[in-house]
Amino acid sequence: MDYHTQDENLFFIKEKISDIKVAIFKSEINSELQLPNNIIQVLKVDNDGTVWFFTSCSGDHKQTIERSFYVYLDFHRKGVEGRLQISGHANVVEDQDDDFLNISNYSKSTANRLVLIKMKIMQAEYFEAKPSPQVSMMDKIKMAFQQFFFDNTQHRIYDFT
């Protein structure tokens, strides 16, 4: 893939992340102490495809989790067309200043229960449902049965490795 196409694809992914902003976070950590699956809000996406966000973690547990791991983010919000799933390598940011805390919805009193994560996008998948025109109830029933046999979505895969 040439750099121009990759830049366009990354711009598209950044735009979708900016539209939706909220994702379900899942980590793939090989230790017994894992970060919980939860809902995160993206704070920033760099031009190189690095996604920054906070995830929750209890204070004592914070020091024992792995510092480098694989992450999945699943973006979907009612009222926004499409669904975006991204995955990539993530790192816990050790020395953080208050800039990210200031742009988040969290207060300083909750900072001890948060971990700042930076994730490099390695792969992204985007699904978009095709809008359906106004149809009769009978046509809706027929279309519901057809969806079992035919794909009614646009699906794109982006590889940034």
Side-chain angles (χ1 to χ4, degrees):
M1 174 184 312
D2 66 30
Y3 288 113
H4 182 69
T5 303
Q6 190 164 355
D7 287 346
E8 287 176 358
N9 292 342
L10 184 57
F11 179 79
F12 175 80
I13 298 301
K14 284 176 61 173
E15 190 176 70
K16 293 302 173 187
I17 291 172
S18 177
D19 288 346
I20 302 172
K21 293 183 181 116
V22 176
I24 296 174
F25 163 83
K26 297 176 186 174
S27 65
E28 210 174 85
I29 298 178
N30 293 327
S31 68
E32 288 182 27
L33 299 173
Q34 298 206 8
L35 291 168
N37 296 346
N38 60 29
I39 297 174
I40 61 96
Q41 181 173 357
V42 172
L43 302 170
K44 176 182 173 183
V45 182
D46 294 335
N47 290 331
D48 68 349
T50 302
V51 180
W52 297 79
F53 59 92
F54 282 112
T55 189
S56 63
C57 182
S58 63
D60 296 338
H61 182 70
K62 193 177 197 178
Q63 300 307 318
T64 58
I65 59 170
E66 288 184 33
R67 295 312 199 216
S68 181
F69 46 91
Y70 204 76
V71 168
Y72 302 92
L73 297 177
D74 189 354
F75 292 86
H76 178 73
R77 188 175 75 203
K78 188 176 180 177
V80 174
E81 290 291 325
R83 177 178 175 192
L84 175 66
Q85 296 173 328
I86 63 174
S87 58
H89 188 263
N91 292 297
V92 173
V93 178
E94 300 294 337
D95 297 321
Q96 65 194 42
D97 52 25
D98 287 339
D99 290 343
F100 285 108
L101 196 59
N102 292 337
I103 60 173
S104 73
N105 293 329
Y106 298 108
S107 67
K108 284 190 180 224
S109 63
T110 61
N112 65 336
R113 296 187 310 253
L114 300 173
V115 177
L116 182 61
I117 305 289
K118 68 176 185 174
M119 174 196 147
K120 177 72 172 147
I121 299 173
M122 296 174 74
Q123 188 174 40
E125 291 186 69
Y126 180 70
F127 307 85
E128 184 174 296
K130 294 179 184 177
S132 58
Q134 294 290 339
V135 292
S136 70
M137 183 57 97
M138 188 57 149
D139 288 337
K140 287 181 184 179
I141 293 170
K142 287 179 188 177
M143 287 189 315
F145 282 110
Q146 288 176 345
Q147 286 179 349
F148 288 113
F149 302 105
F150 303 104
D151 185 15
N152 193 30
T153 62
Q154 292 180 8
H155 179 224
R156 295 182 235 167
I157 298 176
Y158 304 93
D159 192 2
F160 297 100
T161 54

